[in-house]
Amino acid sequence: MAEYYLGIDIGTNESKAALIDRQCRLVSFASESHEMMNPQPGWFEHDAREDWWGSFCRLSRKVLAQSGIEPEEIRCVGLSALGCDCLPVDEYCEPLCNAILYGVDSRSQKEIEWLNSFYGPEAEALYGHAICSSDIAPKILWLKNNRPEVYNAAAKFLTGSSFLCARLTGEYTIDKYLAEDFMPLYDLKNDAIDEAHCGLYCRPDQLAQVRRATDIAGCVTERAAAETGLYPGTKVLVGTGDSGAEAVSTGVFQPGDIMVQLGSSCFFVYLTDHLVQEERLWPGTFIIPGVYSVCAGTNTAGTLTRWLRDELFFDLAREEACGGENAYSAMAAAAEKIPVGSDGLICLPYFAGERTPLNDPKARGIFFGLELRHTRAHLYRAALEGICYTIAQHFDILEANGLPVEKIMVVGGGTKNPLWLQMVADVLGKPVCTAGVTFGAAFGDAIMAALSAGAYGSWAELAQVVQPARTILPNEQTHAIYQTRKSLFAALYENTAELMHRCAEEV
């Protein structure tokens, strides 16, 4: 019997499924879109039952139907989900409210401020970094303070991958890589729940058990088989976050490798051979044993370009809906005619606050230097450049910590935009690569399933299969211009941060 491996990733705005064979060749793939809800300023949510489990079931059935393979030919299922989120569920693993999303949701800012006061100097040591909107413990505390009926009914507090795994297998697990976002609720030295620190937030039995992302969590239950079309008894991995899975999909396996994910937000996974201390970023472990990571994430990338499309280029979106040119392609073509530096226009892309490196949920977006000669194409180009400047700031922090960057893999929907890819290379002044298979985290999930099921004997063996496809070289003259603009970009935030905070507090 032939052997196949399935990977499904639930993303912020799009979910994907990838079915591969034993040689990691893509056999079938599918995707579907969904919306991120923004019911109040700083609140971002998903309907976990529909957007997560519903998407998983539909995509699973779709790739099975497209491929024509029998469900029993799938040896193992890998899975991932967007960032680290907070989802309270009842004893039947049914969501009790909408999922509170990763660091883009900043509703728990008051809880963060209270925790800093409560713990004092101990806070950073307990959390592993300065407490921020990416941390799940403050979100649980927010539920306790603001939604007591939900909090009191919760049997478990899960993240996206834990929810999917539980729906598939009945087992409540979380991989060590994502468990770091639940600190101080876990003792990661012993891969266990930290009962001593849980009391402030929840009961120990309300948390999932720590495993490795590539461990077999369990098998597809009869109920899950009926919903997904998968064969009962099929092995299922613990799973992980989408960014970790996407890094794996590109061959980011070795210390010195970095993934730059141009998705709804911009996320970074840099690999190193030791645990780094850097409070502005998120150092920790990684999916691969013996390898450590420095992760980071902005709040906007594709969400900002989408906002611009919907608000300023809506005519192009309408034309695309009627069979015309892709709106983003038309936007890029217009922006390409604008000079480097956007004719003096600078964009601070903090339209949803900012995570790293600012860790400032009260940061706000700015278009600075507007003149009557500027067009919507200038605004779009300036936004792309602003996102690239934030990318460069992260590289500057790595360099300041003596961490060399050997290979840069750029992934995500932004890689469909050649102008943006070239801009990343030019702002960084370094070559950047794209992957051979650009299907993202779902492909990473599938190849991890192949590894765990025994198709490959080691990560080193798997690395020979996953290689870069294309390299984009920087333009030195353009890089020199961007170096000047980048310093203005940094100064603009420094000189307006206090005003941003005052504006945020008045809303």
Side-chain angles (χ1 to χ4, degrees):
M1 182 186 293
E3 296 179 0
Y4 298 92
Y5 308 91
L6 175 64
I8 296 183
D9 170 65
I10 305 301
T12 303
N13 294 311
E14 186 178 37
S15 296
K16 297 179 180 180
L19 185 64
I20 65 172
D21 63 16
R22 194 179 177 90
Q23 287 72 45
C24 291
R25 294 177 299 212
L26 204 56
V27 173
S28 179
F29 58 89
S31 65
E32 69 171 46
S33 299
H34 49 251
E35 295 294 326
M36 177 171 60
M37 292 175 277
N38 182 202
Q40 294 187 39
W43 291 30
F44 293 92
E45 303 175 347
H46 271 168
D47 178 342
R49 186 181 291 103
E50 172 61 21
D51 298 331
W52 294 1
W53 182 241
S55 285
F56 191 101
C57 295
R58 288 188 293 272
L59 290 172
S60 174
R61 289 185 172 279
K62 190 170 184 178
V63 291
L64 282 168
Q66 287 175 176
S67 66
I69 74 163
E70 296 299 323
E72 55 264 39
E73 292 181 289
I74 296 178
R75 290 284 308 282
C76 189
V77 178
L79 57 95
S80 60
L82 63 169
C84 201
D85 316 289
C86 183
L87 176 67
V89 299
D90 66 15
E91 60 185 313
Y92 303 106
C93 202
E94 290 293 339
L96 293 168
C97 65
N98 286 335
I100 301 173
L101 298 192
Y102 51 96
V104 70
D105 186 289
S106 58
R107 73 182 70 188
S108 60
Q109 185 58 29
K110 287 184 179 179
E111 282 70 26
I112 291 172
E113 291 170 0
W114 182 84
L115 287 166
N116 278 320
S117 175
F118 179 78
Y119 287 125
E122 235 188 306
E124 191 173 313
L126 282 171
Y127 277 77
H129 52 254
I131 308 176
C132 64
S133 62
S134 289
D135 291 307
I136 302 302
K139 297 180 193 288
I140 295 174
L141 200 57
W142 183 91
L143 287 168
K144 184 178 183 180
N145 293 339
N146 297 275
R147 298 288 301 276
E149 74 288 356
V150 170
Y151 178 86
N152 291 330
K156 299 285 182 184
F157 292 103
L158 304 177
T159 188
S161 58
S162 300
F163 173 71
L164 295 172
C165 185
R167 296 286 292 212
L168 284 167
T169 68
E171 300 294 331
Y172 291 99
T173 63
I174 184 170
D175 75 303
K176 190 170 182 176
Y177 181 59
L178 286 181
E180 291 174 347
D181 287 333
F182 275 76
M183 296 297 284
L185 305 183
Y186 287 105
D187 171 8
L188 294 182
K189 289 183 179 178
N190 298 300
D191 294 348
I193 295 167
D194 191 332
E195 297 189 11
H197 287 108
C198 279
L200 185 64
Y201 308 91
C202 63
R203 302 187 312 271
D205 66 275
Q206 290 176 300
L207 298 173
Q209 296 298 315
V210 181
R211 305 280 297 279
R212 289 210 171 267
T214 51
D215 286 349
I216 304 296
C219 297
V220 174
T221 65
E222 292 285 349
R223 178 181 174 182
E227 295 184 76
T228 62
L230 295 169
Y231 190 72
T234 303
K235 294 176 181 178
V236 178
L237 300 188
V238 168
T240 189
D242 56 354
S243 297
E246 187 134 26
V248 167
S249 81
T250 67
V252 170
F253 291 173
Q254 304 292 329
D257 294 352
I258 186 170
M259 180 199 72
V260 178
Q261 183 184 43
L262 294 177
S264 300
S265 60
C266 191
F267 200 88
F268 309 86
V269 178
Y270 171 82
L271 301 188
T272 178
D273 59 1
H274 64 281
L275 186 61
V276 174
Q277 299 297 321
E278 173 50 72
E279 63 180 14
R280 291 169 291 181
L281 308 181
W282 307 322
T285 59
F286 189 57
I287 294 165
I288 301 172
V291 177
Y292 297 85
S293 68
V294 179
C295 295
T298 69
N299 273 349
T300 62
T303 49
L304 179 52
T305 62
R306 185 173 183 168
W307 179 82
L308 287 164
R309 182 198 66 179
D310 294 346
E311 300 298 330
L312 297 183
F313 293 86
F314 46 83
D315 55 324
L316 300 183
R318 282 200 301 264
E319 290 171 15
E320 179 185 347
C322 295
E325 183 183 6
N326 177 275
Y328 289 117
S329 297
M331 291 162 65
E336 199 162 10
K337 297 174 184 176
I338 306 300
V340 172
S342 302
D343 281 329
L345 187 62
I346 296 177
C347 172
L348 297 190
Y350 311 138
F351 283 53
E354 188 55 297
R355 291 186 287 173
T356 60
L358 305 182
N359 297 299
D360 183 1
K362 295 179 182 177
R364 292 295 179 262
I366 291 176
F367 281 105
F368 181 79
L370 276 166
E371 301 177 42
L372 292 175
R373 62 177 173 151
H374 288 136
T375 66
R376 64 181 183 174
H378 283 87
L379 294 171
Y380 179 58
R381 182 177 184 110
L384 295 182
E385 290 177 339
I387 294 165
C388 289
Y389 297 144
T390 66
I391 293 171
Q393 288 180 329
H394 290 84
F395 277 69
D396 290 344
I397 292 172
L398 293 176
E399 184 178 333
N401 280 275
L403 300 171
V405 174
E406 306 293 345
K407 180 173 73 174
I408 304 170
M409 297 299 302
V410 184
V411 301
T415 59
K416 298 174 186 175
N417 185 337
L419 172 65
W420 203 359
L421 265 180
Q422 185 64 54
M423 202 178 283
V424 173
D426 290 343
V427 171
L428 294 177
K430 298 176 182 292
V432 301
C433 303
T434 58
V437 177
T438 58
F439 207 64
F443 180 64
D445 295 326
I447 64 177
M448 283 190 281
L451 175 69
S452 296
Y456 293 88
S458 66
W459 284 98
E461 188 180 332
L462 188 59
Q464 300 305 309
V465 181
V466 187
Q467 295 288 326
R470 188 161 65 98
T471 301
I472 298 93
L473 299 175
N475 180 300
E476 292 184 10
Q477 291 181 324
T478 304
H479 174 63
I481 296 171
Y482 279 140
Q483 284 292 89
T484 301
R485 304 296 294 172
K486 188 178 75 169
S487 64
L488 292 173
F489 173 88
L492 182 56
Y493 168 74
E494 291 166 5
N495 286 287
T496 58
E498 184 180 347
L499 293 174
M500 289 179 184
H501 297 170
R502 286 168 57 185
C503 287
E505 288 162 4
E506 290 176 4
V507 175

